Amino acid sequence: MTTPQISFEFFPPQSLEASFRLWDTVQSLAPMGPRFVSVTYGAGGTTRDLTRDAVATLHQSSGLNVAAHLTCVDATRAETLAIARDFAAAGVSEIVALRGDPPKGSDGFRAHPEGFNNACELISALADTGDFTIRVGAYPESHPDARNQNANIDWLKAKLDAGASEALTQFFFEPETFLRFRDACAAAGITAPITPGILPIENWQGVRRFAARCGTQVPNWINAAFAKADRDGRSDLLATALCTELCDTLIEEGVENLHFYTLNRPELTRDVCHALGIVPAARFQNVA
């Protein structure tokens, strides 16, 4: 089996305890040699400053290639591009450009009157700077706001045509979901890499709620498997086995890159990486 290239997603800490957890997560996963790590941007822009600080700190102290999430939500064009310039000035040259989730309690995305109307406008403006490698989100089971899957794929193509070089997908539970999407994208003329997003399941009930919000279908057999595993106290074993099997199948189908959503909890992600034959290259050194 070919050893895949991997990347990891973290979220910015909102407390001192969470800061220590993020650093512990980075220390645990950095020896896996990720091609990049990304730091998320909260719904409604709620972690804008935290994301900027976490990205700068990781870039300066970890030795990793750090990608910053950037969205269109609740900011003017000038404010958004000023944040991008801050990233560039800090030496960060990778951005995951997203429309962004609307604030909690709102009834949908509404562009700021002086802001970017959609991800394509943001991507185009970032590409015009020449400062960044740009990645975008993709939705194997269609974005909740898309009319249908064809429109979903057309929108992904538009984002790539606007200047992005790679797509990272929303998580999914069965390999066929990604493989069908990959084939449909190829048929639509998309040639850029599409990297599957992998979510090791730390907490099944939490993942089910997350899946419902983002339109990810939950297979009945997984529901039943976790119900039994929870009763037997074997949820972590099941989660590791299912995630490893998912990744194995994707790799056998020619997938070369995997992007792990760590939720700042490294244990299952690390175990899956080990099962895939990804061996730590060196001990990660703490930086004062």
Side-chain angles (χ1 to χ4, degrees):
M1 182 180 68
T2 303
T3 302
Q5 294 289 306
I6 56 172
S7 52
F8 302 124
E9 180 180 288
F10 308 130
F11 58 81
Q14 301 189 51
S15 68
L16 181 60
E17 180 182 358
S19 295
F20 285 121
R21 172 169 285 282
L22 172 59
W23 189 246
D24 287 345
T25 299
V26 173
Q27 286 185 305
S28 180
L29 297 178
M32 302 295 142
R35 61 192 181 106
F36 71 93
V37 301
S38 65
V39 181
T40 64
Y41 209 75
T46 51
T47 66
R48 182 180 296 122
D49 293 338
L50 294 172
T51 296
R52 182 173 53 200
D53 293 344
V55 166
T57 300
L58 286 178
H59 174 75
Q60 292 165 7
S61 61
S62 72
L64 298 172
N65 184 24
V66 184
H69 285 215
L70 189 61
T71 78
C72 306
V73 178
D74 196 29
T76 68
R77 290 172 181 248
E79 289 168 340
T80 302
L81 291 178
I83 293 170
R85 286 194 298 273
D86 287 344
F87 288 138
V92 174
S93 61
E94 310 253 349
I95 284 184
V96 180
L98 308 163
R99 186 201 70 180
D101 295 327
K104 291 181 180 179
S106 67
D107 58 359
F109 174 80
R110 284 185 174 80
H112 188 286
E114 299 175 25
F116 293 107
N117 290 304
N118 52 56
C120 285
E121 290 186 3
L122 172 60
I123 294 159
S124 181
L126 292 171
D128 285 345
T129 70
D131 292 333
F132 302 104
T133 297
I134 304 167
R135 295 181 177 88
V136 296
Y139 296 83
E141 296 176 89
S142 192
H143 190 282
D145 292 346
R147 296 189 309 276
N148 52 48
Q149 182 68 315
N150 287 337
N152 180 57
I153 292 172
D154 288 344
W155 193 249
L156 173 58
K157 189 172 188 303
K159 291 190 290 186
L160 293 165
D161 290 344
S165 59
E166 180 181 356
L168 309 172
T169 78
Q170 181 61 271
F171 73 92
F172 51 90
F173 294 109
E174 296 178 307
E176 294 79 12
T177 301
F178 174 81
L179 297 173
R180 285 192 297 266
F181 178 67
R182 185 182 66 176
D183 290 347
C185 288
I190 293 174
T191 59
I194 301 175
T195 297
I198 307 297
L199 179 64
I201 300 170
E202 292 277 354
N203 179 299
W204 176 238
Q205 295 307 320
V207 167
R208 284 188 61 190
R209 291 191 293 271
F210 189 19
R213 291 198 301 271
C214 60
T216 299
Q217 297 298 311
V218 177
N220 290 332
W221 67 268
I222 292 184
N223 233 346
F226 270 101
K228 184 175 188 305
D230 285 344
R231 290 195 299 270
D232 296 342
R234 296 174 178 265
S235 295
D236 284 353
L237 287 174
L238 175 63
T240 303
L242 289 179
C243 191
T244 302
E245 183 179 6
L246 172 63
C247 294
D248 275 339
T249 302
L250 294 172
I251 294 165
E252 289 172 0
E253 293 291 338
V255 169
E256 297 179 349
N257 301 316
L258 301 170
H259 185 63
F260 287 91
Y261 299 114
T262 72
L263 303 183
N264 292 13
R265 294 182 179 275
E267 294 82 10
L268 283 181
T269 297
R270 182 192 59 220
D271 291 347
V272 171
C273 286
H274 287 168
L276 296 173
I278 301 168
V279 179
R283 286 295 298 170
F284 186 73
Q285 297 299 316
N286 199 349
V287 179

